[in-house]
Amino acid sequence: MESTKNFSEELEHHIAIQREEFNRHLLPQLQQNYAALGSVVKILRSNLLKKGLVYDDPYKYDSRMTEIKIPSNEAFADSERAAIVGSRLAQYQTMLDFLTNSYQFNCSFLTPQRIASMLALNKTFQWSALNENSTLANTRAIAEICKSLHSVSDTLTGGLLRDSLGHLAKLDADINKTLRQLARLHREEYKLTVRKNMPPDLTVSQADIASPIKLLKNLKKALATNDEKLPFYHDLVMEVIKEDYGPDSAHLQREVLRHLNITQKEDVKINKQENMRPVLITGLRILGTTGNHFDTCLTKLMANQEIVYKSRMTIFTKFLEALRRAFNMEEKKHEITILIKDPISNLQKKEIIVLEDFTDNLAKTIRIFRILSSGTSDLQQRLTGMSNEQLLEMLNKYIVICNGYLKTLGGLDDYYKSTDVILRSKMRGIKIELTTIRNAVIKANQCRAEYNASVEEYLNMKELGLIHE
């Protein structure tokens, strides 16, 4: 039939275009999405481990593996949840790393069998369908674990969890969509091969379509004669028969071309740097949580200063204070000489700070940090409008500011503790708060390093021609 021949030629043309689209754009983007998925899973797992909601998995995976090994999704008792989810989450993260670094992301390598394995791996934890009523044990368990985290008062944990799960859901949906599109392409490629190997004199009646057993048997024999390596899939061969010889042939052929016509609706320039945005935002949120601890430091130091001030109050200074208030004279600012320790050289140097200026600036920073940790919709909108470079610059700025305050506050803490022996017992220390802030800065630094590493990796991939824009 001439119409069948024309359709086959048009189909072959569309398939060639779509293979090029997959190889040049969609599959490199798929690889970046998997890499981003692995990064966010790593952050989430790290936080769950720290909260004791899952346990670490001591199992060492075979680095010589050549194919994906799907983690179990079998049901388990609630008492085993932390251990089993921890183990399966670790296996899942390992498989994502293996997939990203070892698989070739092109149409030839990603066969239907490998696509099936990737889709099965994606079902280990269904991030885009995270629900406590899920029929899948792992997804149901991780949903319950995440729900328990939502109830904690730690704004960092809540904000980080919200960002991470939202990003995981989007990546999961995008990855599955691309894999299903690729699976459809492979289906149509197989059906095109079947068409090319059909007997040229084949005739099909409506009775054959209604009762196709004999027809399929003859076709299986004929196709094996032309190409003995071609597998015979009854359902797909039957699709070819209906599309080329059935009563709805024209409609079915249009539908095939319509579904096959995959174009990149999303900007292909969205790359791993975009996917790593949550890492930068997480770093800012981590710094934001230091606001309360800085506020505690400020409160304690002001109380210490008040004790020192009252201890030095004499009749004369009381008279001067009354005089100052009577004539509304500006209060003289307090200059304090402290010792600042260089963390690299471990040497100390003297520094004079104006206490009022220092406390005013710290109070402003505390307000900013509290906004960063709030996770309000206004803040989300502002952060969404910022580029990655602006977010990184902001993160760099506040890491530097935090480190500066840590040095000065440490010096002030030592200063008040070295006062008169009688007053020393009344002084309130801030070592615990400084340690907490220092740990937060370390975590924010890790986020910055992870983002910078992803940018470097992206640029290297671009240089090697693995990314096209």
Side-chain angles (χ1 to χ4, degrees):
M1 292 176 66
E2 186 65 27
S3 61
T4 301
K5 181 181 177 183
N6 292 339
F7 172 67
S8 294
E9 290 175 353
E10 188 175 1
L11 180 61
E12 187 168 15
H13 174 68
H14 275 268
I15 286 174
I17 291 173
Q18 293 312 316
R19 281 185 70 92
E20 180 71 7
E21 179 71 11
F22 272 103
N23 287 331
R24 285 181 61 84
H25 300 303
L26 294 172
L27 295 183
Q29 180 63 49
L30 179 67
Q31 184 177 24
Q32 292 170 34
N33 283 344
Y34 265 118
L37 188 74
S39 296
V40 182
V41 167
K42 182 181 178 182
I43 292 172
L44 177 64
R45 177 169 166 261
S46 175
N47 279 279
L48 293 179
L49 285 169
K50 287 173 185 174
K51 295 290 181 181
L53 294 171
V54 299
Y55 300 149
D56 203 0
D57 184 7
Y59 183 73
K60 301 297 181 185
Y61 298 97
D62 186 359
S63 60
R64 297 168 297 177
M65 68 177 111
T66 56
E67 283 301 339
I68 297 170
K69 296 178 182 177
I70 311 299
S72 172
N73 221 325
E74 291 184 5
F76 50 85
D78 286 344
S79 59
E80 300 176 306
R81 187 173 68 181
I84 290 180
V85 173
S87 174
R88 292 178 184 179
L89 196 58
Q91 293 172 46
Y92 174 65
Q93 183 183 324
T94 300
M95 290 304 115
L96 290 176
D97 290 342
F98 165 75
L99 180 64
T100 304
N101 298 317
S102 301
Y103 263 32
Q104 299 170 39
F105 283 78
N106 58 60
C107 292
S108 298
F109 185 85
L110 297 184
T111 61
Q113 292 77 16
R114 287 196 171 107
I115 292 171
S117 293
M118 293 163 81
L119 287 169
L121 177 65
N122 296 347
K123 287 182 72 174
T124 305
F125 296 98
Q126 286 190 307
W127 304 112
S128 55
L130 206 61
N131 194 300
E132 296 164 73
N133 298 317
S134 173
T135 56
L136 298 173
N138 294 344
T139 302
R140 183 170 62 252
I142 201 76
E144 291 168 351
I145 289 171
C146 291
K147 184 181 179 181
S148 69
L149 266 182
H150 273 301
S151 63
V152 300
S153 58
D154 182 357
T155 54
L156 166 63
T157 303
L160 172 60
L161 183 66
R162 191 164 49 248
D163 289 343
S164 297
L165 294 181
H167 200 54
L168 286 171
K170 184 179 185 307
L171 288 169
D172 186 46
D174 289 349
I175 287 169
N176 285 325
K177 179 183 176 184
T178 301
L179 288 175
R180 291 190 182 105
Q181 289 172 337
L182 182 58
R184 178 178 286 277
L185 177 65
H186 282 305
R187 283 170 62 94
E188 297 307 329
E189 283 184 312
Y190 169 80
K191 287 160 62 179
L192 179 63
T193 305
V194 168
R195 287 182 170 93
K196 289 180 176 180
N197 285 280
M198 286 282 200
D201 57 348
L202 177 68
T203 57
V204 179
S205 67
Q206 295 310 306
D208 290 330
I209 295 175
S211 181
I213 296 175
K214 185 178 178 181
L215 173 64
L216 290 172
K217 185 177 179 181
N218 292 334
L219 283 177
K220 185 175 183 180
K221 191 173 182 179
L223 291 172
T225 301
N226 291 334
D227 186 352
E228 60 182 16
K229 292 183 179 180
L230 182 67
F232 190 85
Y233 301 122
H234 286 73
D235 291 346
L236 296 184
V237 172
M238 200 61 214
E239 283 185 21
V240 172
I241 297 300
K242 290 179 179 179
E243 288 162 5
D244 292 359
Y245 301 95
D248 296 329
S249 174
H251 170 71
L252 293 175
Q253 288 180 358
R254 283 196 302 271
E255 284 299 294
V256 167
L257 296 178
R258 184 177 70 83
H259 285 296
L260 193 60
N261 187 25
I262 303 161
T263 55
Q264 272 193 289
K265 295 182 172 116
E266 296 180 6
D267 187 357
V268 298
K269 290 186 180 180
I270 294 176
N271 51 50
K272 193 173 178 184
Q273 296 177 62
E274 282 298 315
N275 289 331
M276 293 299 288
R277 279 178 72 86
V279 176
L280 292 174
I281 294 172
T282 296
L284 288 168
R285 284 238 174 123
I286 289 171
L287 292 182
T289 60
T290 64
N292 289 334
H293 304 296
F294 274 124
D295 190 45
T296 302
C297 291
L298 183 58
T299 301
K300 288 182 176 182
L301 292 180
M302 294 303 292
N304 292 345
Q305 180 61 25
E306 184 67 17
I307 291 170
V308 171
Y309 178 72
K310 287 182 177 179
S311 71
R312 295 174 181 173
M313 185 74 74
T314 62
I315 294 175
F316 181 68
T317 53
K318 286 180 181 179
F319 171 73
L320 290 178
E321 176 66 13
L323 195 65
R324 183 189 68 78
R325 289 177 180 173
F327 290 95
N328 200 25
M329 297 168 61
E330 187 176 344
E331 186 178 1
K332 184 180 178 181
K333 293 184 176 181
H334 299 85
E335 290 187 349
I336 297 177
T337 302
I338 60 174
L339 291 174
I340 300 289
K341 184 181 289 186
D342 188 318
I344 299 175
S345 64
N346 212 29
L347 297 175
Q348 289 186 326
K349 64 175 183 178
K350 288 184 178 181
E351 185 174 309
I352 299 173
I353 66 164
V354 178
L355 188 62
E356 287 77 10
D357 293 345
F358 173 76
T359 55
D360 286 348
N361 290 332
L362 180 54
K364 291 175 184 176
T365 302
I366 290 169
R367 287 194 292 272
I368 293 171
F369 282 176
R370 282 178 168 166
I371 293 171
L372 283 176
S373 67
S374 66
T376 61
S377 57
D378 288 344
L379 174 67
Q380 291 292 339
Q381 191 172 358
R382 286 178 60 189
L383 293 179
T384 302
M386 297 176 71
S387 66
N388 282 8
E389 290 73 20
Q390 289 172 319
L391 289 172
L392 179 61
E393 184 180 351
M394 191 176 178
L395 183 59
N396 288 335
K397 173 184 174 182
Y398 288 122
I399 286 175
V400 170
I401 287 174
C402 278
N403 282 326
Y405 281 131
L406 281 169
K407 290 179 183 178
T408 305
L409 288 169
L412 283 168
D413 190 43
D414 292 337
Y415 167 80
Y416 287 117
K417 286 178 180 177
S418 62
T419 55
D420 186 272
V421 177
I422 300 174
L423 299 177
R424 200 171 300 167
S425 61
K426 300 178 182 179
M427 296 297 167
R428 302 175 67 187
I430 56 173
K431 290 296 183 186
I432 294 175
E433 288 80 8
L434 294 182
T435 299
T436 305
I437 294 168
R438 198 169 288 112
N439 289 337
V441 173
I442 290 170
K443 290 178 184 176
N445 253 321
Q446 289 171 346
C447 290
R448 177 172 63 174
E450 189 170 348
Y451 175 78
N452 286 332
S454 77
V455 172
E456 185 178 353
E457 179 186 346
Y458 169 77
L459 293 174
N460 289 338
M461 289 175 70
K462 191 175 177 183
E463 270 187 40
L464 293 170
L466 299 176
I467 294 176
H468 302 274
E469 292 186 336

